[in-house]
Amino acid sequence: MSNAKIYPVPAETAKNANITREQYQEMYRRSLDDADNFWAEQADERLHWFKKWDTVNGSDLNKGVIKWFEGGKINAAYNCLDRHLEKRGSQTAIIWEKDDPKADAEHITYRDLHERVSRFANALKARGVKKGDRVCIYLPMIPEAAVAMLACARIGAVHSVVFGGFSPQALQDRVLDSDCHVVVTADESVRGGRNFPLKANADQALQKCPDVNTVFVVKRTGGKVDWQEGRDVWYHEAVKDASADCPAEETDAEDPLFILYTSGSTGKPKGVMHTTGGYLLGASMTHEYVFDYKDGEVYWCTADVGWVTGHTYIVYGPLANGAITLMFEGVPTFPDAGRFWDVVDKHDVAIFYTAPTAIRALMGQGNDFVTRSSRKSLRLLGTVGEPINPEAWEWYNNVVGDKRCPIVDTWWQTETGSILITPLPGATDLKPGSATLPFFGVEPQLVDNDGNLLDGAVAGNLCLARSWPSMMRTVYGDHQRFIETYLSTYKGKYFTGDGARRDEDGYYWITGRVDDVLNVSGHRMGTAEIESALVLHAAVAEAAVVGFPHDVKGQGIYAYVTLMSGKEPTDELKKELNDLIRKEIGAIAKPDFIQWAPGLPKTRSGKIMRRILRKVACNELDSLGDTSTLADPSVVDDLIEDRANR
Ligand code: WTA
């Protein structure tokens, strides 16, 4: 790593940057040495408060208490809408680019968005939603997703967005876990020229959710839907009848803003809970500094609002800053692999933020799809979600960015709320594949497996030594799980679950998860979740899932399945298992390979040795390591033989 290529900050970028190198160094030092004053100033400058806080930082990682700006009164929707009206009421807030490339894009101004949000907020109230109630949002990439989120925020309700690609079962689990009584969905979603039955999925999910009393249905396609009288309400009718006047609730800085489910190494997905003041501060600050955002620029984050990236960098960050945020309904390869760059030209996008998996997929389609567009509006590129391999970085830089656009490789997590390790375009020289340096207030540490602090250029487990404002506060309904998952492995520190290396310049290189979490096309998945789905099948005795390197997806899913005695391994059964996973979780969790395993390698105490399964999946048979502790070492030979015959 020491001889990694370095890309210095371009002179032009440095000259106009929101944060210069000197400012970064000075502010970073202050954010650690004089933290309370630093954060108080930022919160004061960046956000509108109905009432100032009593305490800046009341967090204690040892006790599992995370609190920022306690006593402060604030409203997230007010900050994203109302306070912009005077200066930029008629400026575009959201550009909605539909799936169909020939359709006109919709430009929604701040004034218009404010009105839509207020109306839907009143519609929610009319159905009994009150401060603190949870509302589930199961929508495609349409403006109503942002409207619904902000409408919840406006009245102090807590949104729980569920990715539109999740199955009815996954939706049901989430609705029940957070006890939502209201769901917002659409008749159908549209992606890549095809329609998907979102309402039908929701209907199926809600069969076992008796407490859901209202389902708002956005009419996206006009496709046929079943209707449950009394429960189902057309969104367009509800907002037509609602008043456009809805004062923003004065919520406490520590009142919950949203819950977002994410996968961990054990058990069911966790409801990561974020609160209002600290989250919004992190979102707004990183959006401005990391993307070096300038007034009037069109900014495009290609994530789905179902993931945290969509929450923070399509909705809250950009709107808090009065930015123009582009929302894209479609997919990168429809009608062809040049769609992203066509959209960049169509809307003069200046800042473009996507995932390495998309870059790799498009790279594989050849340069012509890129070079047919001008991309002259582009100024800055970003990546998120997984490590980017230097080859993809170079392609992004050379072909997409024409060697003139710095790339910010941003490391963060659902739990962190906003970007924590990242270059700042005007301050940080880049090294392809490195997320580079910590953002303000972030104190990364590397520790060995025993928790010993590691100094200098070294690899280890990535921890954060202090709390930051946009940090998650708890796992919804299970605070103990929050403490156990994040704050107990290394006492007094937040453990990220990631491994990282630090080089001699202090740059961080994220190497990937060190726990049983997979990162498939930037989507997080627990191996345990996939295993639980597989063993639901009557023919399956046992299953073990591991990741393996995949050229496009980053990681692929490799499942070992042991059948009940007497059951035959057939292609039909493989198909049933794939269907089962689609039903339980969603298509994104479908294994790339299912290998029939007569037995799984276990220790004498019965623990599955995943290390060995990973090696077999990756075909790294020379480095299987010590197999002497296995109860039955011959199992491994069988697996290797079966893999060769696969
Ligand atoms: C991984 C997405 C390397 C990491 C915002 C983390 C990354 C997990 C990067 C969180 C990056 C995210 N370089 N790895 N720039 N960004 N990751 O919760 O393993 O969906 O723990 O949040 O993605 O995924 P999540």
Side-chain angles (χ1 to χ4, degrees):
M1 292 294 161
S2 52
N3 48 16
K5 231 165 143 179
I6 297 188
Y7 289 76
V9 174
E12 187 65 17
T13 311
K15 197 168 85 212
N16 301 313
N18 293 346
I19 300 280
T20 64
R21 198 183 300 262
E22 294 66 37
Q23 277 170 319
Y24 167 68
Q25 285 162 356
E26 204 277 313
M27 284 169 76
Y28 181 69
R29 201 172 313 118
R30 216 176 138 231
S31 73
L32 297 189
D33 297 346
D34 185 19
D36 278 10
N37 288 324
F38 174 87
W39 286 117
E41 282 166 26
Q42 288 292 333
D44 200 18
E45 267 169 40
R46 311 196 67 86
L47 302 176
H48 169 272
W49 298 83
F50 298 115
K51 172 184 167 286
K52 289 283 159 59
W53 51 88
D54 303 323
T55 323
V56 176
N57 180 5
S59 309
D60 183 343
L61 293 182
N62 281 300
K63 298 204 177 104
V65 176
I66 318 295
K67 283 182 192 162
W68 284 85
F69 308 110
E70 222 192 353
K73 297 282 180 199
I74 185 167
N75 183 286
Y78 187 96
N79 272 278
C80 290
L81 302 168
D82 305 53
R83 67 168 170 150
H84 301 315
L85 291 182
E86 198 180 329
K87 184 168 160 216
R88 54 178 101 239
S90 53
Q91 181 208 295
T92 299
I94 297 178
I95 299 176
W96 182 42
E97 170 72 16
K98 298 179 195 172
D99 183 65
D100 176 0
K102 292 196 273 314
D104 285 336
E106 214 175 285
H107 291 250
I108 303 169
T109 63
Y110 273 92
R111 184 162 299 114
D112 193 9
L113 187 61
H114 174 262
E115 183 184 326
R116 292 196 199 189
V117 167
S118 302
R119 283 185 192 277
F120 189 55
N122 279 326
L124 287 169
K125 277 190 187 168
R127 296 294 293 199
V129 178
K130 294 184 307 297
K131 178 167 180 246
D133 289 350
R134 278 78 50 214
V135 172
C136 176
I137 300 175
Y138 183 60
L139 283 175
M141 287 290 286
I142 57 178
E144 287 79 1
V147 171
M149 291 163 77
L150 292 166
C152 289
R154 191 160 193 87
I155 61 175
V158 183
H159 58 73
S160 166
V161 181
V162 176
F163 173 54
F166 273 128
S167 69
Q169 183 64 52
L171 174 62
Q172 180 180 98
D173 292 346
R174 287 159 176 74
V175 167
L176 290 174
D177 185 79
S178 48
D179 190 24
C180 296
H181 294 187
V182 173
V183 176
V184 189
T185 189
D187 50 2
E188 295 180 308
S189 64
V190 187
R191 278 165 64 83
R194 289 172 56 201
N195 295 358
F196 298 88
L198 222 53
K199 169 69 162 64
N201 283 351
D203 286 339
Q204 205 184 323
L206 299 180
Q207 276 170 11
K208 296 213 179 97
C209 302
D211 292 338
V212 170
N213 56 43
T214 303
V215 178
F216 287 102
V217 185
V218 178
K219 193 178 251 182
R220 170 64 188 93
T221 64
K224 206 176 139 334
V225 290
D226 289 339
W227 205 253
Q228 189 170 316
E229 239 12 273
R231 186 195 70 176
D232 297 348
V233 181
W234 282 113
Y235 178 96
H236 60 272
E237 286 174 8
V239 293
K240 187 170 70 327
D241 298 340
S243 151
D245 178 27
C246 177
E249 181 84 27
E250 298 194 5
T251 46
D252 195 278
E254 279 302 330
D255 279 339
L257 179 62
F258 67 86
I259 298 167
L260 185 57
Y261 286 84
T262 193
S263 298
S265 48
T266 55
K268 292 229 172 218
K270 296 180 285 281
V272 167
M273 201 185 87
H274 283 286
T275 56
T276 308
Y279 170 79
L280 203 62
L281 180 58
S284 137
M285 204 169 154
T286 49
H287 173 263
E288 183 188 331
Y289 293 156
V290 175
F291 300 109
D292 196 38
Y293 186 78
K294 308 281 187 343
D295 242 16
E297 284 185 322
V298 178
Y299 154 93
W300 180 14
C301 164
T302 70
D304 191 286
V305 287
W307 311 113
V308 76
T309 307
H311 282 58
T312 308
Y313 297 110
I314 295 178
V315 180
Y316 287 110
L319 295 180
N321 291 343
I324 305 172
T325 181
L326 192 148
M327 198 170 176
F328 176 46
E329 185 181 37
V331 298
T333 48
F334 174 81
D336 66 32
R339 182 71 188 273
F340 273 175
W341 325 120
D342 293 348
V343 174
V344 165
D345 280 359
K346 180 171 173 185
H347 298 294
D348 285 329
V349 173
I351 300 161
F352 178 78
Y353 188 35
T354 197
T357 185
I359 297 167
R360 286 191 298 264
L362 296 178
M363 185 168 82
Q365 304 287 313
N367 294 359
D368 292 352
F369 287 112
V370 189
T371 53
R372 76 177 190 206
S373 66
S374 100
R375 284 157 289 110
K376 63 179 190 312
S377 56
L378 277 183
R379 187 171 71 72
L380 183 74
L381 302 171
T383 71
V384 59
E386 49 177 324
I388 182 162
N389 47 314
E391 195 194 350
W393 196 100
E394 295 286 357
W395 184 82
Y396 200 30
N397 182 50
N398 295 334
V399 182
V400 175
D402 280 332
K403 301 187 182 160
R404 20 166 225 96
C405 307
I407 299 176
V408 288
D409 175 350
T410 63
W411 174 87
W412 59 298
Q413 309 178 299
T414 305
E415 295 88 338
T416 70
S418 59
I419 295 167
L420 294 196
I421 301 182
T422 179
L424 300 185
T428 319
D429 298 335
L430 307 174
K431 300 184 191 183
S434 171
T436 75
L437 298 171
F439 190 70
F440 303 126
V442 176
E443 192 182 350
Q445 289 186 340
L446 298 177
V447 299
D448 68 16
N449 290 342
D450 300 320
N452 299 307
L453 194 59
L454 304 170
D455 285 329
V458 69
N461 302 304
L462 178 63
C463 294
L464 302 162
R466 56 168 87 193
S467 170
W468 60 97
S470 66
M471 182 179 186
M472 73 182 286
R473 300 303 195 252
T474 190
V475 169
Y476 184 76
D478 195 350
H479 194 64
Q480 200 49 38
R481 192 165 173 209
F482 168 64
I483 293 175
E484 275 160 23
T485 310
Y486 303 103
L487 304 175
S488 302
T489 318
Y490 305 110
K491 196 72 195 145
K493 306 181 205 300
Y494 169 88
F495 176 43
T496 64
D498 280 330
R501 179 202 317 279
R502 188 171 44 221
D503 70 15
E504 46 292 325
D505 295 324
Y507 276 39
Y508 288 86
W509 301 72
I510 310 297
T511 48
R513 303 288 305 194
V514 295
D515 53 10
D516 290 320
V517 171
L518 305 182
N519 191 328
V520 181
S521 301
H523 299 327
R524 255 168 87 167
M525 256 166 283
T527 52
E529 266 174 273
I530 306 173
E531 289 161 4
S532 314
L534 288 168
V535 298
L536 289 175
H537 196 289
V540 174
E542 201 168 29
V545 168
V546 296
F548 70 97
H550 187 289
D551 281 349
V552 173
K553 300 191 205 174
Q555 261 189 320
I557 303 175
Y558 200 111
Y560 296 89
V561 173
T562 307
L563 296 178
M564 296 285 189
S565 63
K567 296 289 177 194
E568 283 301 311
T570 59
D571 284 349
E572 180 55 29
L573 184 53
K574 261 190 197 170
K575 191 178 163 298
E576 284 175 29
L577 292 180
N578 278 324
D579 289 347
L580 183 61
I581 288 186
R582 198 188 311 250
K583 173 171 162 286
E584 289 296 313
I585 307 172
I588 51 173
K590 234 178 62 177
D592 296 273
F593 293 115
I594 293 178
Q595 179 174 334
W596 306 118
L600 293 172
K602 291 187 184 161
T603 61
R604 287 188 197 100
S605 59
K607 198 167 169 315
I608 295 177
M609 290 188 74
R610 290 169 179 280
R611 177 175 57 81
I612 293 178
L613 292 175
R614 269 184 224 119
K615 292 285 179 190
V616 175
C618 300
N619 215 5
E620 291 170 3
L621 306 176
D622 298 341
S623 54
L624 281 182
D626 185 11
T627 54
S628 63
T629 54
L630 285 176
D632 176 6
S634 74
V635 169
V636 180
D637 298 329
D638 291 343
L639 286 180
I640 292 173
E641 198 184 316
D642 288 353
R643 187 188 192 289
N645 299 332
R646 195 182 60 205

